[in-house]
Amino acid sequence: MKDMAFPHIRPHPDQGRIRQSFRRGLDSYHRSASVQADIAARLAGMLQAQGAPRQIGAALEFGCGTGHLTRQLLQRFETGSLILNDLVPEAACALRALDGTVPAQARFEPGPIETLPLPQDLDLIASASTVQWIPDLPALTARLAARLKPGGWLALSGFGRGQFRELAALGSAAAAPSYLDAAEWRAVLPESMEILAIEQRPAVLEFGTALELLKHLRQTGVNGHAQHSWSRRRLRDFEAAYRAQFGRDGRLPLTYDPVLLAARKTG
Ligand SMILES: C[S@@+](CC[C@H](N)C(=O)[O-])C[C@H]1O[C@@H](n2cnc3c(N)ncnc32)[C@H](O)[C@@H]1O
């Protein structure tokens, strides 16, 4: 699918690489992204626990990827209409494979959420593990809040400043542009949004070798900003430095630092 077909797609220069990285990882993403699957389940649960009603009129999910959050939302809520968005047009195919759970009222719109034309009066906007890729989050959340009805719900997850702390310490360029701790979200959201619940709880995965760890990053598409290719020597040096600084009983830990929030538009 060519971007020419979507005139509103004018990616930020880096978005080309982010898109390529997620597109490449799409096939393997669904089974490899266990942390993101767990986050999606917790985020949908948080929304429900905060009192979001089972019947939701108009909903938007952006950065839907292969549908981890889509499934969780559809298990808990009935939506009158549902717009599913992702930067990667091929995500539409992944969603079609969602074993019949995407309802007839859902439609897929590709492109960057920052410039995607959006309807007014949404009842719910949700997104898991995507906002860390948005360079100007105050601008995006102001835009999203303006499209919510009064009383409308916002459920978001991103990652905090401890995300991949091991890679950051070793000088990797695999960071996304907007890692935010829970305490920073109040200043990012517009005043009209009341935060009902927010949590930040790190999760650590462990790998036997640096190669396995790098494969995991590649399969989940999360290293959209990493540019270098790996020579054998580079890999050996990286593994030695990783083990020396972070090795635990011969294993290599990798820290995820998810931040989840549920908010509601007050006026
Ligand atoms: C880590 S995946 C999360 C996918 C899914 N929400 C989940 O929880 O498994 C991040 C997704 O965000 C998409 N993405 C990144 N930047 C985006 C943007 N500016 N607009 C829309 N989607 C974007 C990527 O293509 C990718 O599918």
Side-chain angles (χ1 to χ4, degrees):
M1 240 188 270
K2 287 255 168 63
D3 291 350
M4 298 289 288
F6 308 106
H8 57 273
I9 299 181
R10 282 191 203 86
H12 180 273
D14 275 343
Q15 274 178 346
R17 199 156 67 230
I18 297 170
R19 192 168 49 205
Q20 203 183 4
S21 181
F22 278 108
R23 177 188 283 147
R24 200 180 50 209
L26 213 53
D27 286 342
S28 53
Y29 178 86
H30 204 70
R31 56 194 141 75
S32 308
S34 58
V35 175
Q36 287 88 341
D38 180 56
I39 291 168
R42 279 167 47 208
L43 186 62
M46 179 187 263
L47 190 61
Q48 198 173 31
Q50 289 307 315
R54 177 152 180 87
Q55 312 280 342
I56 289 186
L60 160 73
E61 183 196 343
F62 64 93
C64 62
T66 59
H68 280 307
L69 180 61
T70 320
R71 266 173 218 245
Q72 294 293 337
L73 291 173
L74 292 173
Q75 277 170 17
R76 293 172 169 82
F77 305 101
E78 285 164 21
T79 59
S81 68
L82 173 62
I83 299 173
L84 299 170
N85 154 265
D86 200 277
L87 181 63
V88 176
E90 287 84 348
C93 309
L95 282 167
R96 271 196 286 276
L98 269 179
D99 44 74
T101 49
V102 174
Q105 67 273 31
R107 71 169 198 272
F108 181 78
E109 300 272 357
I113 185 62
E114 297 94 312
T115 53
L116 191 79
L118 296 175
Q120 292 291 347
D121 291 338
L122 289 164
D123 297 283
L124 167 68
I125 298 178
S127 181
S129 306
T130 298
V131 289
Q132 72 279 4
W133 292 112
I134 310 290
D136 189 348
L137 272 178
L140 177 67
T141 54
R143 178 167 192 259
L144 296 177
R147 301 305 171 112
L148 277 176
K149 270 185 194 160
W153 299 81
L154 180 67
L156 294 179
S157 82
F159 295 95
R161 293 180 185 271
Q163 177 74 352
F164 298 154
R165 62 181 190 84
E166 300 84 359
L167 296 177
L170 293 168
S172 155
S178 293
Y179 291 147
L180 285 178
D181 286 339
E184 296 174 276
W185 269 98
R186 180 57 275 166
V188 167
L189 293 177
E191 289 209 343
S192 62
M193 297 304 307
E194 182 193 357
I195 297 177
L196 304 173
I198 187 158
E199 63 174 55
Q200 178 165 12
R201 211 189 307 154
V204 180
L205 296 188
E206 286 190 349
F207 299 88
T209 65
L211 195 61
E212 278 174 29
L213 187 151
L214 292 170
K215 234 187 237 168
H216 168 79
L217 292 176
R218 192 180 163 90
Q219 283 170 345
T220 50
V222 292
N223 57 342
H225 276 196
Q227 295 177 55
H228 41 243
S229 54
W230 292 81
S231 66
R232 251 186 230 179
R233 181 166 175 194
R234 233 198 107 92
L235 182 61
R236 207 178 48 222
D237 292 350
F238 172 73
E239 176 145 358
Y242 209 122
R243 282 196 192 285
Q245 223 171 313
F246 301 106
R248 276 194 211 158
D249 302 327
R251 313 273 299 161
L252 302 177
L254 177 67
T255 303
Y256 280 81
D257 189 19
V259 177
L260 287 67
L261 71 88
R264 211 161 173 201
K265 184 165 169 175
T266 52

